[in-house]
Amino acid sequence: MAISDIRREYEGEPLDETRSDPDPFRQFALWFDQVRELEADPTAMALATATSAGRPSVRTVLLKAVDPRGFVFFTNYESRKAREIAETGRASLLFVWRSVNRQVRIDGTVEKVTDDESDAYFATRPIESRWSVYASRQSERLESRAVLEAAYEAARRRLGNAVPRPSWWGGYRIVPDEVEFWQGRGSRLHDRLQYRRQADGIWVRERLAP
Ligand SMILES: Cc1cc2nc3c(=O)[nH]c(=O)nc-3n(C[C@H](O)[C@H](O)[C@H](O)COP(=O)(O)O)c2cc1C
């Protein structure tokens, strides 16, 4: 079977102004509650960043918090994504929830969360994940797997059970100015609602062509 012959229908509940919340955070919460038991990885989201020259890159990260301030994930502050965030101050997120044929796209500015927020989340991570933060200089070239494992062993022996959050690891918050909800429908006549935050802070909601 040719790749071009792989296709399926994307059916789903209608999404329109009467069946969505005027606030994109409440709409996100509504959809998230519906998929959290259905999806294997409901918090997995693609994070797109770019260099100041406009060269884009994308990778998966996990959503760890969301509230009306924005969408939070945690990472290494010296990674490629961190460098690109520092260059442009912007990022995009994308959730794809296949069980319900839905996609949520989020564009916005990026800020670091407070040290207290990063400390609190770091403390909830299993100890193995905390040691591994010390072992991995994320996005740097690595000679071999053995080098990584040796760094992990060294971190484990050096730190023991007292593993404070290092200053080069923490959270980012995407503060959205645009959020789009996509609901698959029959015959490729999908529903798209785009929310844009105006200068006065009020969100406007518009339908986009699929
Ligand atoms: C399901 C999944 C979840 C991931 N979650 C995270 C995460 O929350 N934080 C993170 O830094 N990397 C996460 N990663 C790894 C990233 O995709 C990526 O490889 C890493 O952050 C380095 O990206 P960079 O070199 O572009 O900065 C995850 C990968 C997968 C497949």
Side-chain angles (χ1 to χ4, degrees):
M1 194 198 225
I3 286 179
S4 59
D5 290 331
I6 300 173
R7 60 170 66 85
R8 68 177 177 96
E9 275 293 305
Y10 297 94
E11 300 278 0
E13 295 286 311
L15 175 69
D16 60 29
E17 289 77 352
T18 64
R19 274 176 267 234
S20 59
D21 197 288
D23 178 81
F25 289 102
R26 283 201 297 269
Q27 180 60 29
F28 182 87
L30 201 76
W31 271 19
F32 191 80
D33 281 347
Q34 291 169 358
V35 302
R36 59 189 305 157
E37 303 297 335
L38 298 173
E39 293 282 326
D41 247 348
T43 61
M45 54 189 186
L47 165 75
T49 55
T51 64
S52 52
R55 181 186 168 130
S57 65
V58 65
R59 76 290 286 155
T60 310
V61 293
L62 298 176
L63 178 71
K64 288 298 170 186
V66 54
D67 63 30
R69 292 173 298 168
F71 296 79
V72 173
F73 67 93
F74 291 88
T75 194
N76 185 305
Y77 283 150
E78 295 171 356
S79 61
R80 174 176 178 179
K81 70 181 88 54
R83 284 198 300 272
E84 295 181 2
I85 285 168
E87 283 186 33
T88 66
R90 292 196 63 89
S92 292
L93 299 172
L94 187 77
F95 292 89
V96 182
W97 292 320
R98 289 184 176 78
S99 63
V100 287
N101 297 323
R102 287 176 182 170
Q103 165 178 272
V104 182
R105 174 169 147 179
I106 295 152
D107 291 356
T109 54
V110 188
E111 60 188 31
K112 284 184 177 168
V113 305
T114 64
D115 286 346
D116 284 350
E117 285 175 273
S118 290
D119 288 342
Y121 173 67
F122 191 77
T124 69
R125 286 168 55 103
I127 193 134
E128 293 81 7
S129 312
R130 283 183 275 148
W131 288 324
S132 75
V133 162
Y134 282 85
S136 171
R137 302 175 66 161
Q138 194 176 59
S139 314
E140 297 289 306
R141 199 166 295 112
L142 195 56
E143 211 55 61
S144 65
R145 169 97 202 168
V147 170
L148 178 67
E149 289 177 0
Y152 178 83
E153 262 316 296
R156 194 176 66 77
R157 264 185 272 106
R158 182 166 65 84
L159 296 160
N161 287 327
V163 193
R165 177 183 65 89
S167 59
W168 37 266
W169 190 96
Y172 285 108
R173 177 174 286 110
I174 314 289
V175 181
D177 39 44
E178 219 174 85
V179 183
E180 184 200 313
F181 296 86
W182 185 101
Q183 172 66 68
R185 302 287 309 278
S187 309
R188 301 292 193 260
L189 297 176
H190 313 301
D191 286 327
R192 297 177 67 188
L193 287 184
Q194 185 193 65
Y195 294 66
R196 271 181 301 110
R197 198 176 46 213
Q198 303 177 129
D200 60 6
I202 306 283
W203 290 93
V204 292
R205 189 176 28 165
E206 287 170 320
R207 177 175 290 269
L208 300 183

